[in-house]
Amino acid sequence: EPEVTQTPSHQVTQMGQEVILRCVPISNHLYFYWYRQILGQKVEFLVSFYNNEISEKSEIFDDQFSVERPDGSNFTLKIRSTKLEDSAMYFCASSDLGLYGYTFGSGTRLTVV
Amino acid sequence: KQEVTQIPAALSVPEGENLVLNCSFTDSAIYNLQWFRQDPGKGLTSLLLIQSSQREQTSGRLNASLDKSSGRSTLYIAASQPGDSATYLCAVTSGTYKYIFGTGTRLKVLA
């Protein structure tokens, strides 16, 4: 069964540092997403990406965040200057036509200290 | 604005029981609804996907139903097992392709 792969599984960073979370979506999928889940809270939408551009972003996705598909396989989320409140599990997901359900990665646990 | 609610928030049952988890959403104009399982500290595993035109989906001991007009979905788990212990999340898409998630039902099945 095809998988969405996320690396690293856990990252610890100092406040103010830049982090890049990496994802390899399923190869024939066209829509890519980032979500986050703060411990004990709901899974929240961050951003969707289609045709090499952002199709939608939430209020959480401010100027500190950016996404990129640097090549044909990777999809990255960059946080420029991390804050303590960015500590969360970050999930990447991909979808074939946007209407047929998602496949999620296993997540990256980001801890900002 | 779409809101998704799941009841109960937590559930503890003896092994072998049949159980029902509930999900409700405020905007009935959805494209699909997906049920996920999440083990502690882990990712999201897709269980069942129901398109807006469908009424139910089944996979093994799991059955999910969808009533769009009333804004409800139920996940039925037959003959529960300790391995079913996890948090169950429902999520809906509407308007755009993003998912709105519920808060989840934390299930514990006692041996």
Side-chain angles (χ1 to χ4, degrees):
Chain A
E1 175 118 11
E3 287 185 344
V4 173
T5 305
Q6 288 188 245
T7 54
S9 57
H10 190 188
Q11 180 154 0
V12 181
T13 189
Q14 292 214 326
M15 193 167 53
Q17 294 296 304
E18 174 182 288
V19 295
I20 297 176
L21 309 183
R22 302 180 191 281
C23 170
V24 179
I26 292 173
S27 60
N28 62 344
H29 282 186
L30 301 176
Y31 293 82
F32 313 113
Y33 311 84
W34 285 99
Y35 286 75
R36 80 171 185 191
Q37 185 180 34
I38 295 170
L39 188 63
Q41 297 187 22
K42 278 189 184 187
V43 178
E44 302 173 288
F45 168 77
L46 291 178
V47 66
S48 58
F49 192 85
Y50 170 71
N51 200 26
N52 283 320
E53 59 183 27
I54 290 174
S55 48
E56 187 176 357
K57 58 184 181 179
S58 71
E59 301 150 353
I60 304 167
F61 194 89
D62 61 22
D63 292 344
Q64 293 297 315
F65 291 89
S66 63
V67 290
E68 196 177 32
R69 188 154 163 81
D71 53 42
S73 60
N74 291 285
F75 180 50
T76 61
L77 174 69
K78 182 193 291 186
I79 309 175
R80 284 190 186 80
S81 178
T82 49
K83 309 183 186 89
L84 294 175
E85 54 265 36
D86 293 328
S87 295
M89 182 78 96
Y90 287 81
F91 293 110
C92 174
S94 69
S95 173
D96 46 7
L97 290 177
L99 302 179
Y100 296 101
Y102 284 22
T103 301
F104 277 86
S106 54
T108 293
R109 179 167 298 286
L110 176 65
T111 304
V112 183
V113 297
Chain B
K1 183 185 170 186
Q2 178 75 273
E3 305 236 347
V4 181
T5 306
Q6 291 186 246
I7 294 172
L11 184 61
S12 187
V13 299
E15 182 177 6
E17 276 207 5
N18 302 323
L19 49 98
V20 174
L21 309 182
N22 296 293
C23 172
S24 61
F25 46 94
T26 54
D27 183 354
S28 62
I30 64 169
Y31 289 136
N32 59 39
L33 182 145
Q34 197 163 356
W35 282 94
F36 295 90
R37 168 184 172 138
Q38 185 176 32
D39 292 291
K42 302 293 184 185
L44 304 171
T45 302
S46 178
L47 298 173
L48 290 165
L49 169 70
I50 311 178
Q51 302 286 356
S52 61
S53 57
Q54 298 173 323
R55 298 283 297 190
E56 66 178 333
Q57 285 287 335
T58 298
S59 176
R61 294 183 293 109
L62 304 180
N63 174 276
S65 66
L66 174 63
D67 183 344
K68 264 183 58 174
S69 59
S70 67
R72 291 182 186 181
S73 175
T74 59
L75 179 66
Y76 176 82
I77 303 177
S80 58
Q81 302 169 358
D84 294 330
S85 299
T87 296
Y88 290 81
L89 302 172
C90 74
V92 299
T93 57
S94 57
T96 62
Y97 299 141
K98 71 181 183 210
Y99 266 137
I100 305 296
F101 279 82
T103 44
T105 293
R106 198 166 57 255
L107 172 66
K108 187 166 186 179
V109 181
L110 306 168

